[in-house]
Amino acid sequence: MSSKEKPTLGGTRIKTRKRNIAAPLDPAAFADAVVQIYLDNAGDLELIAKSIESSDLNFSRYGDTFFEVVFTGGRTQPGTIKPDEGERHPYSVIECEATREAILPSVIYIQKILRRRPFLIKNLENVMQRLLQSLELFEDNERKKLAIFTALAFSQKLSGLPPETVFQPLHKDNLVRGKMDDNLLDFFPSAKRSAEGFSEHFTKAGLVPLVEYNEKKIFEVKLKEMKSALTTQIAEESDISEVIETVKQRVKDAKLPDVEVVRILWDVIMDAVQWSGKNQQQNANSALRQVKTWAKLLNSYCTSGKLELELVYKVQMQCYEDAKLMKLFPEIVRSLYEEDVLAEDTILYWFRKGTNPKGRQTFVKALEPFVKWLEEAEEEE
């Protein structure tokens, strides 16, 4: 009996695809590695920064854990400030002395890390928010250290760290009554809620950057309020004497510098112009009509060569930044001259020695015919 061949299946063998096996999260190992870098370099932040730069640690995955180690010396238990298992180091922000001099190096150190890994700014925001949200869990001295760090972070412009994002947790009722609304005074005791009281208190506490930040925010609010009031009056074509009185009163109340007033006046006057797209002639007519209408308002504050020059720089920047206004610079300057807002000496000074480089070469060339006319008139006199 002849042997038969065993039957076989035809076709192509399909290779089994292996499943992608995700690496398990291990923030504890990451934290231990960072802590070890601190310990190996005995807390020398310069050396620690270099070691971290040359390491192959996964910062993109464990950014929050990294900043926990920076602030508290190790990992913290979720939802608390209690230390988690694992080794810790004694060189954290919380372990520093509660002084500007002691905490500033940590801010500079973080700045160096962020320059190499800018994506970590979001992790820094997360951890700072979490710490501020848990302030009641810290000791008084630890809160002071966090306050100093936060003030220094903003004064040192820590990679664009946004105050409104970091301070967001402080809106919660369990931490503070009232809302921030861009005004740190709302976090101050109501009995002492004044700019002077705030400044005095935090200057004595060594938090001068926080005082400076608050003063800047107050100044910005006052500018915004003044600009809003003037915008409404100009849009409604209020009597010019009434507008001038509004400006005087707000400048007196807010103690605004004349330079800022001149800038605001030009902004609100030009913001009210109805621009017509690419039609240069209509744009020119609208801008010049606005200058003529509100020349008396500009004249009431352009009372010195310095302020007149500031106005020319303001016009220069607007014409440089807005393509439809590029060719209007000489016409606007001439109109301001004809309306007695700009003196001849101011225009000649800008033409010969102006320091703002934005579009200067183009604008100087465009202004040449008018300057030549001014110089010839001066010679004839």
Side-chain angles (χ1 to χ4, degrees):
M1 187 175 175
S2 61
S3 61
K4 294 181 180 181
E5 295 182 1
K6 292 181 180 180
T8 58
L9 295 174
T12 306
R13 183 185 294 273
I14 299 174
K15 187 176 182 181
T16 304
R17 180 181 295 171
K18 293 182 178 179
R19 291 186 180 181
N20 292 325
I21 301 174
L25 290 173
D26 191 7
F30 176 89
D32 289 343
V34 176
V35 167
Q36 194 57 50
I37 290 175
Y38 271 84
L39 296 174
D40 290 345
N41 293 282
D44 188 320
L45 295 178
E46 190 77 31
L47 296 177
I48 292 168
K50 290 179 180 178
S51 298
I52 285 175
E53 285 176 12
S54 61
S55 72
D56 57 357
L57 295 172
N58 192 347
F59 287 90
S60 59
R61 173 172 286 190
Y62 303 116
D64 282 18
T65 302
F66 170 69
F67 285 112
E68 284 183 7
V69 174
V70 171
F71 279 101
T72 67
R75 290 183 68 211
T76 55
Q77 296 177 14
T80 72
I81 60 167
K82 294 180 180 179
D84 208 342
E85 294 180 1
E87 200 167 7
R88 308 184 76 76
H89 70 81
Y91 310 108
S92 64
V93 173
I94 292 299
E95 294 296 330
C96 288
E97 291 182 22
T99 65
R100 181 185 186 278
E101 293 71 24
I103 294 175
L104 181 58
S106 293
V107 177
I108 296 171
Y109 156 71
I110 290 176
Q111 184 73 283
K112 290 178 181 177
I113 301 297
L114 293 177
R115 283 174 185 156
R116 293 295 297 269
R117 295 179 171 84
F119 60 86
L120 285 175
I121 190 67
K122 186 62 182 174
N123 302 106
L124 177 58
E125 288 176 26
N126 294 340
V127 173
M128 288 186 70
Q129 280 187 315
R130 202 182 312 147
L131 293 174
L132 292 177
Q133 196 169 352
S134 307
L135 283 178
E136 70 273 17
L137 303 177
F138 287 96
E139 300 292 334
D140 287 345
N141 200 39
E142 293 174 336
R143 290 179 197 160
K144 184 176 181 181
K145 294 170 188 177
L146 290 175
I148 294 172
F149 179 92
T150 304
L152 288 173
F154 296 141
S155 68
Q156 296 291 317
K157 296 182 174 61
L158 198 60
S159 291
L161 188 70
E164 62 274 13
T165 303
V166 172
F167 282 136
Q168 192 64 37
L170 296 182
H171 285 271
K172 295 194 174 183
D173 291 337
N174 66 321
L175 292 179
V176 65
R177 294 180 180 178
K179 294 187 177 181
M180 184 177 177
D181 292 330
D182 289 329
N183 193 345
L184 285 173
L185 283 177
D186 290 346
F187 295 106
F188 212 58
S190 57
K192 300 180 180 179
R193 194 169 294 167
S194 68
E196 294 76 15
F198 185 98
S199 176
E200 181 182 357
H201 176 84
F202 286 107
T203 299
K204 286 181 179 177
L207 295 177
V208 175
L210 185 60
V211 173
E212 292 172 348
Y213 173 78
N214 184 59
E215 289 174 348
K216 180 182 177 184
K217 296 304 293 185
I218 293 173
F219 180 73
E220 289 173 353
V221 169
K222 289 178 179 177
L223 285 182
K224 188 176 180 180
E225 289 173 349
M226 177 176 171
K227 190 171 183 178
S228 177
L230 290 177
T231 297
T232 301
Q233 285 186 307
I234 288 177
E236 295 174 350
E237 298 182 350
S238 301
D239 185 86
I240 194 164
S241 59
E242 183 183 332
V243 179
I244 291 174
E245 188 57 37
T246 297
V247 176
K248 286 182 178 178
Q249 190 59 46
R250 287 191 172 271
V251 168
K252 180 181 178 182
D253 293 343
K255 299 178 182 178
L256 299 175
D258 290 339
V259 169
E260 291 295 339
V261 176
V262 169
R263 291 170 182 164
I264 288 176
L265 292 180
W266 183 256
D267 279 341
V268 295
I269 288 171
M270 287 295 108
D271 285 347
V273 175
Q274 298 297 317
W275 304 108
S276 57
K278 296 181 180 179
N279 191 319
Q280 286 290 331
Q281 191 55 51
Q282 286 188 32
N283 284 333
N285 293 340
S286 298
L288 299 181
R289 193 182 309 117
Q290 195 77 337
V291 168
K292 186 174 182 179
T293 301
W294 299 101
K296 188 177 178 182
L297 175 61
L298 290 168
N299 221 337
S300 65
Y301 277 90
C302 290
T303 54
S304 67
K306 179 182 177 181
L307 294 173
E308 289 178 20
L309 187 62
E310 188 59 43
L311 178 59
V312 180
Y313 285 141
K314 186 67 181 173
V315 175
Q316 177 185 348
M317 285 302 300
Q318 185 182 27
C319 291
Y320 173 77
E321 292 172 352
D322 194 333
K324 68 177 176 289
L325 303 181
M326 280 289 286
K327 295 181 180 179
L328 298 186
F329 180 78
E331 295 184 64
I332 292 175
V333 171
R334 181 163 192 150
S335 179
L336 289 168
Y337 169 77
E338 291 172 349
E339 297 297 332
D340 291 327
V341 178
L342 295 180
E344 176 183 330
D345 289 346
T346 301
I347 297 171
L348 293 176
Y349 181 90
W350 177 89
F351 184 81
R352 295 164 182 163
K353 300 180 180 179
T355 56
N356 192 323
K358 300 294 180 66
R360 176 170 170 76
Q361 194 170 2
T362 300
F363 295 140
V364 165
K365 187 172 181 61
L367 201 62
E368 273 181 359
F370 179 54
V371 169
K372 186 176 180 182
W373 178 83
L374 286 176
E375 290 174 335
E376 288 174 353
E378 188 177 13
E379 288 174 4
E380 289 177 6
E381 292 177 0

